[in-house]
């Protein structure tokens, strides 16, 4: 029993004890009052007058108390027994009236009670209401035969008692009355009392075995009270006591106790019924009544035996058998025969019904698809239904006689035994059945998953079993599908998180050797777009197989989604932290090399690399935090050049927080006017004149921090924000360029836009045309610098977009030339006017002979294609000299000027030129003679065929 259940049981037991104590007090008072009356009657009450008063009016008061008590209870009760208590009240009221009349004659008038008198009328009216009340209290028969049997049982009891009483006393009383010449009224009165008592006793005995189970205690108490009253009446009517009786004798104590017991019956029994409910709640089990049932069945035969004894008594005494005895005995025998005939017919009907139900249930059991087994208390199977052949593959006869434990899987046996013991120990009312699932041995030797509903049966068990093997397999498959990736069959994110939680708990909690690896395949997106999704899926399957083979047996490899994988390296706590971290780093680097090997897809090979982030467990870290740390480390590995392993450091989380806060502030920066547009002069390297200006945005936040484009564009991951920023830069650059043109500074403006933004629907070609028209910017005054580093951009769409812009007079520059993976392809396919050398080439053009040759070759290509060239990041004079010698036409950088605000820019444009190191050299051979201008028309820059 659980703690709450035992606590509830103790509480109910305490409440039951208090209730029994409160119920015992009225019984004690009742016993004391009845005992006091009996003592007074036995001692003669001290005087004859007191004895007369207590023998008459005392009995009247007791009967009146019973009448009032039953009446009040009948008013308060709301059930079908209300008429019975009203009849008992009327019966007691009659007894009270009879005793009052008796006292009027004896005590008040001091005269003997005449016979017959009004008291006799009251006494005779006592029995009929009581008899009818007992009928109301009886358990009503369900069938007509039941009512007939009840009437016959009553007559059998009453007739047998009449036969015995007539033989012993009543015949003598009738004979004496006849001899003495008593009147008919007196003779009838002499016989009426015993006859009514016989009827009442018959009803008491008959109903004792047929009383209703509802309010049983009240019925028993009422029957006991009436039985005590009838017993006293029988003693009073006997010839021995009637001649010597006078009021106040000990016999009155029986009537007095009977009246008070009837008064107590409804109220005390109701209190005891409440106690019984509490006892039942506390776990008391109802007990059967086999003895009472046997006595009820033997009652007719006992009554017939009593009748027979009455007749034998007359025969043995040599008396003439009285006609009343003969008539009564014959009717009793006839009633017994009729009753036996009714019972015989009823038994035949019940036997047929039982046989029909037995056949019905046998058909159900034998035709059921479930296996029904009955095991005795020792666990031996005593019955097995025929369905066992189809379910278990074993004949039912083969299983009968075997132990139930012999067919249960050994791994499940302990759990099954424990559940069966617990079930048998539980109260049947609280747990009538239980459900057990285990594995049974089939006829082929396989183990079947079986679900059984278990019931109690004569100390043993009834098992209703069914094969649920397919359901268990389906559940296992569904569970596997819910926890594994459908493509690679590796654990998914949910199962991986669960494994990480298990690794961080229990005895391995805080083990610094436990680590999580986040793995991302670099270049998978491009390969997937180039080869198709089917090839991409095959690549992921092969990568998953490599990852699964590379990790240890106790570790977990998982696919989190897309081209992201993960691995859980479980620590054993047997090494120093540094050695363990070194081992995990070696495992991660081995995984990187394994995943970076070529993949055989179809007839060709595909190469991708792997970026891996590693995070180690710390005391108190949660699974989500550990996985987040590994994810941050993986992104740091990708940002650091890809194809590398990066260990998590706390600074990574600080950078994420900073970028998140910066992104949040960036969303409102445009709305609050925190962005400003600066321009850096693009200088002709031969003459030093300003050929164009490059627009560059700066963000001065509300905290006074000035962010460069590289800083705030890197954290502007929200495409809506970057698109809005690109539109603002373009519109602001065109507007300011138009203002400068109006002021006499005719210089073109270059705006850098990512290729992805050029294909954005938010920036169609019509919007650029409308922008140029609105501000009146002349043809060739706007140049868009396109970055080619985004592999997601389609060259076909970009080519069409740039051709449309060129038709509007917009010049196109290829930004970052020499660094992008598709630079040559872009140069071959896109309509380009200007090549803008990447800053990385320009920075090393003086120090590195290799970069010098590469840069020289790229400039030769630009010159051969008739394109202008701009070097970005020209910061020192030596770079100016080297680039100019290679044939580079223009440059921008700190060697000339940094980004300028509008005021300083106009002063620079008014000045017109910058000093060029080394003076004005001769035109290089690659230049083809004259120096091209950034503001020339499209016709001056031929586009080679693609």
């Amino acid at each position: 029993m659980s703690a709450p259940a035992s606590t509830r049981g103790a509480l109910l037991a305490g409440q039951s004890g208090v209730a029994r104590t409160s119920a015992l007090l009225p019984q004690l008072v009742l016993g004391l009052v009845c005992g006091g009356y009996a003592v007074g009657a036995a001692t003669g009450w001290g005087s004859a007058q007191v004895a007369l008063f207590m023998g008459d009016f005392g009995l009247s008061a007791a009967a009146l108390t019973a009448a009032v008590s039953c009446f009040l209870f009948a008013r308060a009760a709301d059930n079908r027994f209300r008429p019975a208590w009203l009849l008992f009240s009327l019966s007691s009221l009659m007894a009270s009236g009879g005793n009052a009349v008796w006292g009027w004659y004896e005590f008040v008038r001091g005269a003997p009670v005449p016979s017959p008198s009004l008291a006799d009328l009251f006494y005779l009216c006592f029995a009929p209401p009581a008899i009818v009340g007992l009928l109301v209290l009886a358990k009503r028969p369900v069938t007509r035969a039941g009512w007939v049997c009840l009437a016959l049982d009553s007559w059998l009891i009453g007739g047998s008692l009449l036969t015995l009483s007539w033989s012993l006393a009543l015949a003598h009383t009738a004979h004496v009355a006849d001899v003495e010449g008593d009147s008919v009224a007196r003779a009838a009165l002499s016989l009426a009392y015993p006859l009514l008592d016989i009827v009442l006793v018959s009803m008491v005995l008959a109903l004792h075995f047929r009383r209703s189970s509802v309010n049983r205690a009240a019925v028993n108490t009422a029957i006991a009270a009436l039985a005590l009253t009838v017993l006293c009446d029988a003693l009073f009517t006997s010839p021995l006591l009637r001649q010597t009786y006078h009021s106040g004798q000990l016999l009155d104590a029986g009537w007095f106790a009977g009246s008070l017991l009837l008064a107590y019956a409804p109220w005390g029994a109701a209190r005891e019924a409440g106690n019984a409910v509490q006892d039942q709640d506390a776990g008391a089990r109802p007990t059967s009544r086999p003895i009472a049932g046997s006595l009820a069945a033997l009652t007719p035969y006992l009554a017939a035996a009593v009748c027979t004894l009455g007749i034998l008594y007359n025969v043995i005494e040599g008396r003439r058998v009285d006609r009343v005895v003969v008539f009564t005995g014959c009717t009793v025998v006839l009633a017994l025969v009729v009753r036996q005939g009714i019972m015989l017919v009823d038994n035949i009907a019940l036997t047929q019904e039982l046989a029909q139900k037995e056949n019905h249930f046998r058909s159900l059991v034998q035709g059921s698809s479930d296996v029904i087994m009955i095991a005795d208390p020792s666990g031996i199977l005593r019955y097995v239904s025929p369905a066992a052949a189809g379910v278990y593959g074993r004949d039912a006869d083969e299983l009968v006689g075997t132990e139930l434990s012999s067919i249960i899987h050994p791994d499940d046996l302990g759990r099954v035994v424990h559940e069966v013991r617990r079930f048998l120990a539980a109260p049947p009312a609280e747990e009538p059945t239980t459900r057990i699932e285990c594995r049974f041995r089939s006829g082929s030797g396989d183990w079947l998953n079986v679900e059984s509903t278990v019931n109690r049966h004569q100390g043993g068990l009834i098992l209703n079993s069914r094969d649920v093997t397919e359901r268990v397999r389906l559940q296992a498959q569904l569970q596997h599908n819910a926890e594994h990736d459908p493509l690679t069959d590796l654990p998914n994110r949910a199962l991986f998180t669960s494994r990480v939680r298990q690794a961080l708990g229990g005895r391995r909690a805080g083990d610094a050797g436990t680590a999580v690896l986040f793995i991302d395949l670099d270049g998978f997106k491009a390969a997937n777009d180039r080869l198709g999704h089917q090839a991409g899926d095959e690549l992921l399957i092969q990568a998953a197989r490599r990852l699964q083979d590379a990790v240890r047996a106790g570790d977990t490899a998982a696919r989190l989604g897309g081209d992201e994988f993960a691995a859980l390296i479980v620590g054993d706590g047997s090494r120093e932290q540094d050695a363990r971290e070194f081992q995990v780093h070696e495992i991660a680097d081995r995984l990187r090399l394994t995943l970076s090997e070529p993949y055989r897809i179809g007839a060709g090979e595909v190469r991708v690399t792997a970026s891996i982030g590693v995070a180690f467990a710390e005391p108190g870290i949660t699974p989500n935090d550990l996985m987040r740390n590994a994810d941050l480390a993986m992104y740091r590995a990708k940002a650091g050049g890809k194809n590398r392993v990066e260990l998590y450091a706390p600074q990574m989380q600080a950078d994420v927080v900073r970028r998140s806060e910066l992104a949040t502030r960036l969303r409102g920066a445009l709305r609050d006017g925190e962005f400003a547009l600066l321009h850096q002069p693009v200088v002709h390297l031969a003459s030093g004149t300003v050929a164009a200006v490059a627009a560059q945005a700066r963000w001065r936040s509300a905290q006074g921090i000035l962010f460069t484009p590289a800083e705030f564009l890197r954290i502007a991951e929200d495409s809506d924000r970057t698109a809005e920023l690109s539109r603002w830069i373009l519109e602001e650059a065109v507007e300011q360029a138009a203002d400068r043109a109006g002021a006499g500074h005719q210089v073109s403006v270059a705006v850098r836009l990512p290729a992805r933004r050029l294909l954005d629907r938010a920036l169609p070609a019509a919007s650029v045309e409308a922008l140029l028209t609105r501000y009146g910017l002349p043809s060739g005054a706007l140049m868009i610098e396109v970055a080619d580093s985004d592999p997601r951009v389609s060259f076909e769409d970009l080519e069409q977009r740039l051709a449309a812009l060129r038709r509007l007079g917009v010049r196109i520059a290829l930004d970052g030339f020499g660094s992008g993976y598709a630079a040559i392809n872009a140069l071959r396919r896109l309509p380009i006017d200007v090549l803008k050398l990447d800053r990385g080439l320009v920075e090393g053009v003086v120090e590195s002979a290799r970069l010098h040759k590469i840069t020289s070759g790229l400039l030769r290509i630009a010159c051969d294609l008739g394109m202008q060239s701009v070097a970005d990041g020209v910061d020192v004079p030596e770079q100016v000299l080297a680039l100019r010698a290679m044939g580079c036409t223009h440059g921008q950088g700190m060697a000339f000027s940094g980004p300028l605000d509008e005021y300083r820019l106009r002063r620079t444009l008014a000045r017109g030129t910058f000093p060029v190191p080394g003076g004005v050299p001769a035109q290089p051979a690659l230049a083809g003679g004259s120096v091209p201008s950034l503001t020339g028309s499209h016709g001056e820059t031929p586009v080679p065929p693609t």
Side-chain angles (χ1 to χ4, degrees):
M1 182 181 291
S2 62
S6 61
T7 304
R8 179 175 178 266
L11 179 61
L12 289 175
Q15 293 176 350
S16 178
V18 173
R20 290 193 183 97
T21 302
S22 63
L24 185 61
L25 183 59
Q27 296 175 5
L28 183 61
V29 173
L30 178 64
L32 290 176
V33 173
C34 295
Y37 189 95
V39 172
T43 58
W45 296 101
S47 68
Q49 291 296 322
V50 176
L52 287 176
F53 180 84
M54 294 302 296
D56 294 332
F57 291 110
L59 294 180
S60 179
L64 182 62
T65 301
V68 173
S69 175
C70 292
F71 178 76
L72 294 178
F73 182 77
R75 290 190 59 186
D78 187 15
N79 51 46
R80 70 181 185 90
F81 299 120
R82 174 184 291 182
W85 295 106
L86 288 175
L87 291 170
F88 289 153
S89 175
L90 178 61
S91 177
S92 299
L93 187 62
M94 293 298 100
S96 176
N99 287 316
V101 172
W102 197 284
W104 169 261
Y105 283 104
E106 283 192 337
F107 184 79
V108 178
R109 298 184 60 181
V113 180
S115 180
S117 66
L118 184 60
D120 293 322
L121 177 62
F122 281 116
Y123 289 145
L124 291 176
C125 291
F126 164 78
I131 293 172
V132 179
L134 288 175
L135 286 174
V136 175
L137 287 179
K139 183 178 181 181
R140 298 178 180 178
V142 179
T143 62
R144 184 179 302 174
W147 283 104
V148 174
C149 288
L150 176 61
L152 292 175
D153 289 345
S154 300
W155 171 244
L156 286 171
I157 297 173
S160 61
L161 292 177
L162 177 59
T163 302
L164 186 61
S165 301
W166 189 271
S167 300
L168 296 177
L170 294 183
H172 176 70
T173 301
H175 178 70
V176 170
D178 184 40
V179 170
E180 294 179 356
D182 289 344
S183 62
V184 177
R186 291 194 62 182
L189 185 62
S190 300
L191 296 176
Y193 284 112
L195 291 178
L196 287 175
D197 287 340
I198 288 175
V199 174
L200 191 56
V201 170
S202 301
M203 295 305 303
V204 168
L205 292 176
L207 296 178
H208 175 70
F209 303 110
R210 290 179 175 269
R211 60 188 181 275
S212 174
S213 59
V214 181
N215 209 2
R216 183 185 295 270
V219 176
N220 290 340
T221 308
I223 290 176
L226 294 175
L228 183 59
T229 303
V230 170
L231 177 62
C232 294
D233 288 344
L235 293 175
F236 173 74
T237 56
S238 65
L240 296 177
L241 290 181
R242 187 173 184 118
Q243 301 297 329
T244 61
Y245 172 80
H246 60 83
S247 297
Q249 286 185 343
L250 187 60
L251 185 60
D252 292 346
W255 282 314
F256 184 84
S259 296
L260 291 187
L261 193 61
L262 184 60
Y264 169 78
W267 306 101
R271 188 179 295 108
E272 292 175 2
N275 298 339
V277 172
Q278 292 181 354
D279 291 342
Q280 188 173 1
D281 289 341
R285 299 184 182 180
T287 57
S288 60
R289 299 173 56 87
I291 297 178
S294 301
L295 289 177
L298 293 176
T299 299
Y301 306 99
L302 294 176
V306 170
C307 182
T308 304
L309 288 176
I311 298 174
L312 288 176
Y313 175 78
N314 286 290
V315 174
I316 292 173
E317 290 293 327
R319 299 177 183 178
R320 183 175 62 87
V321 180
D322 193 274
R323 287 178 296 177
V324 175
V325 174
V326 174
F327 175 78
T328 305
C330 291
T331 55
V332 168
V333 173
L334 180 61
L336 182 60
V337 171
V338 173
R339 188 184 189 281
Q340 287 302 105
I342 294 175
M343 295 301 298
L344 180 61
V345 173
D346 196 20
N347 287 338
I348 294 174
L350 289 176
T351 303
Q352 292 177 350
E353 183 180 357
L354 181 61
Q356 183 180 1
K357 289 184 177 180
E358 183 179 356
N359 293 331
H360 175 69
F361 284 111
R362 181 181 292 110
S363 300
L364 288 178
V365 170
Q366 294 180 351
S368 174
S369 59
D370 294 347
V371 180
I372 299 175
M373 300 182 295
I374 299 179
D376 62 13
S378 62
I380 304 297
L381 293 175
R382 297 305 180 190
Y383 174 79
V384 179
S385 65
V391 176
Y392 301 150
R394 304 176 66 176
D395 292 337
D397 296 338
E398 177 188 348
L399 291 174
V400 173
T402 62
E403 291 188 3
L404 181 61
S405 59
S406 64
I407 62 174
I408 299 178
H409 195 284
D411 295 341
D412 300 338
L413 184 58
R415 175 174 55 83
V416 172
V417 171
H418 175 75
E419 174 62 20
V420 168
R421 289 176 177 174
R422 184 203 63 77
F423 169 67
L424 293 177
E430 295 181 3
E431 191 172 4
T433 63
T434 188
R435 192 177 297 272
I436 297 176
E437 188 169 329
C438 60
R439 285 168 288 180
F440 278 8
R441 185 189 300 275
S442 67
S444 61
D446 298 330
W447 294 101
L448 303 175
N449 293 92
V450 176
E451 181 185 63
S452 302
T453 301
V454 184
N455 296 271
R456 298 172 180 85
H457 176 68
Q458 298 178 357
L461 300 173
I462 295 180
L463 297 93
N464 190 346
S465 307
R466 63 197 61 86
D467 183 8
V468 294
T469 304
E470 290 302 323
R471 189 196 71 186
V472 171
R473 290 175 181 172
L474 179 59
Q475 288 177 345
Q477 184 62 42
L478 293 176
Q479 182 71 18
H480 180 85
N481 295 342
E483 295 179 342
H484 289 76
D485 175 59
L487 178 63
T488 62
D489 204 40
L490 290 179
N492 59 14
R493 183 180 294 271
L495 182 56
F496 183 76
T497 304
S498 177
R499 297 275 179 86
V500 173
R501 184 177 294 106
Q502 293 176 7
L504 296 181
R507 61 183 180 86
R508 293 183 178 139
D511 186 356
T514 299
V516 170
L517 281 60
F518 264 45
I519 307 164
D520 186 85
L521 300 181
D522 307 320
F524 171 77
K525 180 66 169 61
N528 190 59
D529 292 342
R530 183 175 70 255
L531 301 176
H533 293 288
Q534 185 174 358
D537 290 346
E538 178 61 27
L539 192 152
L540 291 175
I541 293 173
Q542 294 185 27
R545 191 178 301 116
R546 293 183 185 182
L547 180 61
Q548 183 69 44
D549 295 339
V551 299
R552 303 172 308 175
D555 299 333
T556 301
R559 182 191 179 206
L560 305 183
D563 60 342
E564 289 189 356
F565 296 85
L568 171 63
I569 309 299
V570 180
D572 53 13
S574 60
R575 303 187 183 187
E576 296 294 332
Q577 180 176 351
D578 293 342
R580 186 69 178 141
E581 290 182 358
F582 178 76
Q583 182 193 24
V584 172
H585 194 279
E586 279 190 336
I587 294 174
D589 199 57
R590 186 173 68 250
L591 288 177
R592 180 187 64 82
L593 295 175
T594 300
L595 295 174
S596 299
E597 293 178 359
Y599 294 85
R600 173 66 63 178
I601 306 296
E605 290 186 348
V606 179
R607 292 181 178 270
V608 296
T609 57
S611 296
I612 302 178
V614 182
F616 289 93
E618 301 173 357
I621 194 171
T622 64
N624 291 334
D625 290 342
L626 181 59
M627 294 171 64
R628 179 206 61 196
N629 294 345
D631 197 19
L632 292 176
M634 184 267 292
Y635 278 107
R636 178 60 63 91
K638 293 181 73 67
K642 303 179 181 179
N643 193 23
R644 56 182 295 177
V645 176
E646 190 76 32
L647 300 182
Y648 171 78
Q651 182 60 34
M652 296 180 184
Q653 178 62 22
D655 292 343
V656 170
V657 174
R658 175 179 174 274
R659 292 179 61 186
S660 177
E661 294 175 350
L662 199 61
T664 301
R665 295 202 303 267
L666 179 62
R667 292 186 180 96
L670 281 173
R671 182 184 64 252
D672 298 337
E674 297 180 3
F675 276 95
L677 198 63
L678 304 182
H679 294 81
Q680 187 175 24
V682 179
V683 180
H684 196 292
L685 296 183
S687 62
T689 59
V690 179
V693 293
Q696 299 179 7
R698 293 292 187 273
W699 174 27
R700 186 177 299 278
S701 68
Q703 290 76 18
I705 303 175
L706 186 66
F707 296 101
T708 63
E711 291 175 314
F712 63 75
L713 288 178
R714 185 170 59 250
I715 59 95
E717 298 177 354
D718 187 348
S719 59
D720 294 336
R721 299 279 77 79
T722 53
E724 184 179 356
L725 180 61
S726 298
R727 290 194 299 271
W728 179 85
I729 292 174
L730 180 60
E731 184 172 355
E732 190 73 11
V734 171
E735 181 180 2
Q736 293 186 16
D739 291 342
R740 287 192 295 272
H745 303 291
Q746 297 289 342
V747 60
S748 62
V749 59
V751 179
R752 186 181 185 277
L753 292 177
R756 186 159 54 99
R757 292 294 161 225
L758 285 173
L759 298 179
D760 195 347
R761 295 180 179 180
L763 191 67
S767 64
V768 177
E769 182 180 7
L771 191 64
L772 297 175
T773 304
R774 185 197 313 167
Y775 293 105
L777 201 64
S779 175
L782 174 63
M783 182 169 61
I784 292 180
E785 300 174 352
V786 181
D788 68 324
S789 60
D790 194 342
R792 294 171 293 182
V793 175
S794 169
F795 274 114
E796 291 78 4
D797 297 339
L798 185 60
E799 181 181 5
Q800 296 177 5
R801 184 75 170 94
L802 295 180
L805 290 175
R806 290 190 75 206
R807 287 193 294 270
L808 298 177
V810 178
R811 297 173 62 80
I812 307 300
L814 185 60
D815 187 36
F817 185 70
S819 64
Y821 77 97
I824 300 301
N825 193 27
L827 187 63
R828 181 179 66 87
R829 301 187 58 179
L830 300 180
I832 303 300
D833 299 309
V834 177
L835 290 179
K836 192 170 185 178
L837 295 179
D838 184 70
R839 175 182 291 271
L841 295 176
V842 176
E843 288 176 350
V845 73
V846 177
E847 295 82 1
S848 173
R850 184 181 184 87
L851 288 181
H852 188 281
K853 292 181 179 180
I854 293 175
T855 305
S856 176
L858 294 177
L859 289 174
R860 184 184 299 275
I861 292 174
C863 183
D864 291 343
L865 294 178
M867 298 181 183
Q868 297 175 355
S869 56
V870 177
D872 188 14
V874 182
D875 296 333
V876 294
E878 291 79 6
Q879 295 172 345
V880 176
L881 295 175
L883 290 169
R884 186 172 59 191
M886 295 178 192
C888 183
T889 57
H890 298 80
Q892 69 181 76
M894 298 305 296
F896 305 106
S897 173
L900 305 174
D901 57 22
E902 189 65 22
Y903 174 74
R904 290 184 175 85
L905 177 61
R906 294 199 179 193
R907 290 184 56 185
T908 300
L909 293 178
R911 188 172 62 248
T913 59
F914 287 96
V916 178
V920 179
Q923 294 296 325
L926 295 178
S930 62
V931 178
S933 171
L934 288 178
T935 58
S937 65
H938 293 307
E940 299 170 355
T941 306
V943 179
T946 59

